[in-house]
Amino acid sequence: MNYEASIFPISISDGQEEHIFPLNHLRTAIEYVTGAHVFLVDMEKRHILCSETFQKEYFQQFTAGYYTLDNLYSIIYERDRDKASHLFSTLLRGKAHKRSIDIRLNTHHDEKLSWVSLRCKAVKSHRQETFLVCALIPSTQMPHIDELTQIKNAAAFSRVVKDYIHEKKSFALMLLNISNFSMINYQHSRHYGDTVLINFASYLSNLLSQDEANQCFRTSGNTFALILRDSSPQNINIIYSSIKKHLHLMYNINAAFCSCNYPENASTLEELIQLSDYLLIQARRREINGIVSYDETTENSFSNYRLLQSNLRHSIDNNFRGFYLVYQPYINVQKNKLIGAEALARYTDEQGNAISPEKFIPIIENMKMMCEFGRWIVREAIKALQQFSAIFPDMVVNINISHEQLNDKHLFDYIMNTANEFGVDPSQIELEFTEHFLSKEYTYINSAIEKIHKKGVLIAMDDFGTGYSSLGFLKDINVDIVKIDKIFVKNFMNDEVKKFFLECIISLCKKLKRKTILEGIEHHDEYMAIRSLGIDMVQGYYYSRPRPFESIIDFIKNQHQND
């Protein structure tokens, strides 16, 4: 019997007259107007009436002339089949007239699962037979599913946590952030990095699926959230150990982990999110071999964190009150003369307490305000450069550009517009990026950087030698300045490996016509030794600490008068 060709009547009443339609015509009409994969289920016979499009998408491996619920169950991920069966039986028994669940499908038997939303509504025929009007909504049309990994996303995470809190369900929240994930993209490719995320998300789903009360989410690029109904320390440690072992064995990478419990550690969604973000910052900062959890020492430090977060938000909302820039000079080694200065952000709260950038920068990042903050830095630095140039026309100001700022696709236009506004030559602006942002995989970033580079803006590569670097990489990137990390300064005169490495970098950069600058010079003997290696520029406390605006003005005047 071919269900697709059969004409089953279904009646619809408007209260005055009964209208009878061929069932397959009604199905086609519904599918057309919804744009989803619609099918009808005869619950008495367990037969499915579906379109040719549906057959090709989901039932391609079946050769039967008609299809049954067993065919549908066979393409549903085995751990989700009971959930689907329970939905159908609930509707059949009349316990509900419509339901929606999220399930995973494996339609090609390739172990790649795809999320869909299964939506069903029960209707009765004139003989009181139960039919279900159903639709499968793919993940691309599901705003709560992460398109890459096919697990739930940040929006779903917020929704689930809200529901749990509303229902007063206790649970543990674990966050994990894969460390140095950009290194994976650089060393291999962006496609490989995506594959790692997809496979890792699948691993998390399988790990937690043993208990349906557990759920996992991808809340941002390389950060995942886990909701665990068993919040005991023993269960947390088992999950943590399993994930850590998997990451090490499969990819040889590490992750920062943190956990907290509801309602013991936080009573609202906002407080829970703030607490977990705070704990993850601590885990990433400490780089410890373990999981950072809420304990008796956390309460006071978390209270201070929330106060600082509130103060920072208030400061930013009030024209960045309390923020200011300092400038650390760097010099031409051979001439022992000032060339430029690096702009560095500082913050003092309303009580007069100086707050370290190591504290306030991660909080601004978590508040998703780094783009706005970055624009303020750009404007303040270029405005100051206008006054520096009046004293020293060749003065250059270095501005750090963070990864978060690169999400601002109008950043480089803003830089050029600001330079025009203050009458600053673009060649006096130096933008500093860490090395992995300049890798070939970042197509948009490199094309945007190249455009602004052609207009005269200088490009500096920071952190060379701290983990991403290879000497061969230098020939592939178009930068003006290579900044060698200060880790190579400490004891380099007594460390032949460090000294040889520095000599190689300096020699190669000279051949490639790249300027070199070494950070962290603090003593006279270090300065003299690095000078003998032919370095172009140095920066460090030996020459000058970071200076406020008024002080750097005096410093430039003194340098200019001595020329």
Side-chain angles (χ1 to χ4, degrees), residues 177-185 222 253-254 287 466 468:
N177 177 267
I178 300 176
S179 305
N180 296 331
F181 190 76
S182 52
M183 182 170 63
I184 294 177
N185 287 330
N222 55 324
I253 55 179
N254 295 314
E287 296 183 347
T466 58
Y468 299 97

Side-chain angles (χ1 to χ4, degrees), residues 468-483:
Y468 299 97
S469 309
S470 66
L471 295 178
F473 182 65
L474 287 174
K475 68 180 178 60
D476 297 324
I477 56 174
N478 188 15
V479 299
D480 303 285
I481 299 165
V482 175
K483 298 189 74 173

